[in-house]
Amino acid sequence: MIIDCQSCPVRELHCDDCMVTALLAPQGSMLPLDPAERAAVGRLLGAGLVSANEAATATARREPWAAHVRAVG
């Protein structure tokens, strides 16, 4: 299979939720926070619920599929 981002019909519109990226990233890998996640961590920091160090080192984590979820098709 050849994957060519240059010919993708939704290039630069849906790159953030591209399935190819999800398939190629190792399971459990740490990911940078997206803007909404950064805003949420900022609110937690502002409310004093997390420390500045915890906020600065926060990362997202790709969770494996739940055992009860199966692909169909």
Side-chain angles (χ1 to χ4, degrees), residues 19-63:
M19 191 55 156
V20 172
T21 304
L23 292 173
L24 296 178
Q27 291 295 323
S29 63
M30 296 313 214
L31 305 169
L33 299 179
D34 66 23
E37 291 166 331
R38 283 194 303 272
V41 170
R43 287 186 196 100
L44 294 172
L45 176 63
L49 297 173
V50 297
S51 70
N53 185 49
E54 289 170 323
T57 59
T59 59
R61 181 178 63 184
R62 185 179 314 279
E63 291 291 337

Side-chain angles (χ1 to χ4, degrees), residues 7-31:
S7 63
C8 178
V10 292
R11 182 176 177 217
E12 296 182 11
L13 297 173
H14 295 288
C15 293
D16 290 342
D17 59 350
C18 178
M19 191 55 156
V20 172
T21 304
L23 292 173
L24 296 178
Q27 291 295 323
S29 63
M30 296 313 214
L31 305 169

